[in-house]
Amino acid sequence: MPIFKTNPFGHILFIKRWLIRIFGVVSHGRYRRFNKLEIEGSEVIRQLPETNVLFISNHQTYFADVAAMFHVFNAALKGRENSIKNIGYIWNPKLNIYYIAASETMKAGLLPKIFAYVGSISIERTWRSQGKDVNRQVKMSDISNIKKALSDGWVITFPQGTTTPFKPIRRGTAHIIKTYKPVVVPIVIDGFRRAYDKKGLMIKKRNVLQSMVIKPPMEIDYENETIEQIIERIQFEIEQHPSHLKVISPEEFKKQEDELNKQRKFWS
């Protein structure tokens, strides 16, 4: 492969490969030593086509979620069964994995700009900017870039567009599904919010049990299902539908948390 070969976004693959290797080695301990990542469904990853795959997931931090998915996807493709043990899988990573992120997030400092080179599709949010509510038109260049990424490989998106749980699903995700008809793979994550700060860069707490469940691809009637139907199905698949919310007393909440914390004590 020519050393200066680029992907459809003009990123040099040689540089991208080394960035993934470096950040993979640096971040690996977050999911193996300081905390533990439990994985379910890695066999799904190996059955997917090379391109036009859309992963939809709930969102808990800006970067730790995506970094974990890069680890899990590459480990699964190298034959690991629900494990990221032995980081050798990162030496030859899958280079056509992309993730959708807010452009303002990816421009906020040198580190996010490097992360953007690794694979972000930076879009301008239509509903929020700089911490304020806005109402603006979708940029056609953003839609074009998502299409370009799906044509080249796999795309990760967080359809709620925020790390706040149980927020509504953005209609744009359903439009992407209706328009480009990708294989849609739901992922449910947990524990990242407890383990890291909001950006997912600093370890906030150790010995937290993190989990990632990769579900089988959704069966979607791309022609006949409405945007509203797809949105509701996404809510259920990533376990963010309002029906999952339960109102409980503070005493019951503390009891449940104590039980969960007992399960999370796996390493000393």
Side-chain angles (χ1 to χ4, degrees), residues 4 7 32 49 55 60 63 69 75-76 79 86 97 100 117 142 150 164 167 183 189 192 196 208 212 214 237:
F4 292 118
N7 66 13
R32 288 279 300 167
F55 295 93
Q60 296 197 340
F63 300 115
M69 290 178 193
N86 182 357
I97 300 175
I100 298 174
Y117 201 96
D142 291 346
L150 283 169
T164 304
K167 285 294 184 179
V183 175
I189 61 170
F192 292 82
Y196 310 107
V208 174
M212 182 181 300
I214 304 161
E237 289 287 353

Side-chain angles (χ1 to χ4, degrees), residues 98-113:
Y98 304 95
Y99 59 97
I100 298 174
S103 57
E104 64 183 78
T105 300
M106 304 316 295
K107 293 176 182 176
L110 177 61
L111 200 54
K113 288 178 181 177

Side-chain angles (χ1 to χ4, degrees), residues 115-169:
F115 290 160
Y117 201 96
V118 169
S120 94
I121 309 163
S122 299
I123 65 168
E124 207 171 79
R125 291 189 294 189
T126 59
W127 68 95
R128 197 158 180 81
S129 178
Q130 303 295 329
K132 298 179 180 179
D133 293 335
V134 298
N135 185 10
R136 57 191 175 199
Q137 294 293 317
V138 175
K139 289 179 67 174
M140 294 313 296
S141 59
D142 291 346
I143 302 299
S144 175
N145 284 337
I146 294 171
K147 177 184 178 182
K148 193 185 299 183
L150 283 169
S151 298
D152 186 58
W154 297 355
V155 174
I156 301 164
T157 187
F158 303 98
Q160 292 167 289
T162 176
T163 57
T164 304
F166 295 101
K167 285 294 184 179
I169 301 297

Side-chain angles (χ1 to χ4, degrees), residues 71-239:
H71 277 287
V72 171
F73 295 176
N74 280 290
L77 291 172
K78 296 299 188 295
R80 309 292 195 278
E81 287 293 338
N82 295 327
S83 171
I84 58 171
K85 186 178 180 181
N86 182 357
I87 199 174
Y89 60 78
I90 208 70
W91 184 252
N92 188 26
K94 183 175 173 64
L95 297 177
N96 56 345
I97 300 175
Y98 304 95
Y99 59 97
I100 298 174
S103 57
E104 64 183 78
T105 300
M106 304 316 295
K107 293 176 182 176
L110 177 61
L111 200 54
K113 288 178 181 177
I114 295 173
F115 290 160
Y117 201 96
V118 169
S120 94
I121 309 163
S122 299
I123 65 168
E124 207 171 79
R125 291 189 294 189
T126 59
W127 68 95
R128 197 158 180 81
S129 178
Q130 303 295 329
K132 298 179 180 179
D133 293 335
V134 298
N135 185 10
R136 57 191 175 199
Q137 294 293 317
V138 175
K139 289 179 67 174
M140 294 313 296
S141 59
D142 291 346
I143 302 299
S144 175
N145 284 337
I146 294 171
K147 177 184 178 182
K148 193 185 299 183
L150 283 169
S151 298
D152 186 58
W154 297 355
V155 174
I156 301 164
T157 187
F158 303 98
Q160 292 167 289
T162 176
T163 57
T164 304
F166 295 101
K167 285 294 184 179
I169 301 297
R170 296 292 163 183
R171 294 175 64 87
T173 301
H175 280 290
I176 291 169
I177 292 170
K178 287 275 286 183
T179 303
Y180 302 126
K181 302 176 176 57
V183 175
V184 181
V185 180
I187 296 178
V188 179
I189 61 170
D190 192 28
F192 292 82
R193 184 179 288 109
R194 291 185 292 273
Y196 310 107
D197 66 347
K198 187 172 183 177
K199 289 185 178 180
L201 298 176
M202 303 296 294
I203 296 175
K204 187 170 66 176
K205 188 175 182 180
R206 298 189 179 198
N207 303 344
V208 174
L209 180 61
Q210 301 159 117
S211 64
M212 182 181 300
V213 179
I214 304 161
K215 298 184 177 182
M218 295 174 62
E219 294 184 6
I220 300 172
D221 186 339
Y222 299 101
E223 303 300 332
N224 297 314
E225 285 193 52
T226 65
I227 294 294
E228 288 70 25
Q229 288 172 326
I230 292 174
I231 286 174
E232 185 173 35
R233 290 190 60 196
I234 290 172
Q235 285 181 313
F236 278 109
E237 289 287 353
I238 66 172
E239 300 180 10

Side-chain angles (χ1 to χ4, degrees), residues 38-56:
E38 286 198 351
I39 306 159
E40 181 180 322
S42 63
E43 69 280 357
V44 172
I45 299 299
R46 292 189 289 274
Q47 297 167 3
L48 296 173
E50 182 67 17
T51 63
N52 204 37
V53 176
L54 182 69
F55 295 93
I56 55 172

Side-chain angles (χ1 to χ4, degrees), residues 14-30:
F14 174 78
I15 295 176
K16 182 172 179 175
R17 177 178 285 106
W18 272 103
L19 287 175
I20 293 174
R21 287 171 178 170
I22 293 167
F23 284 111
V25 170
V26 170
S27 63
H28 189 251
R30 290 167 165 246

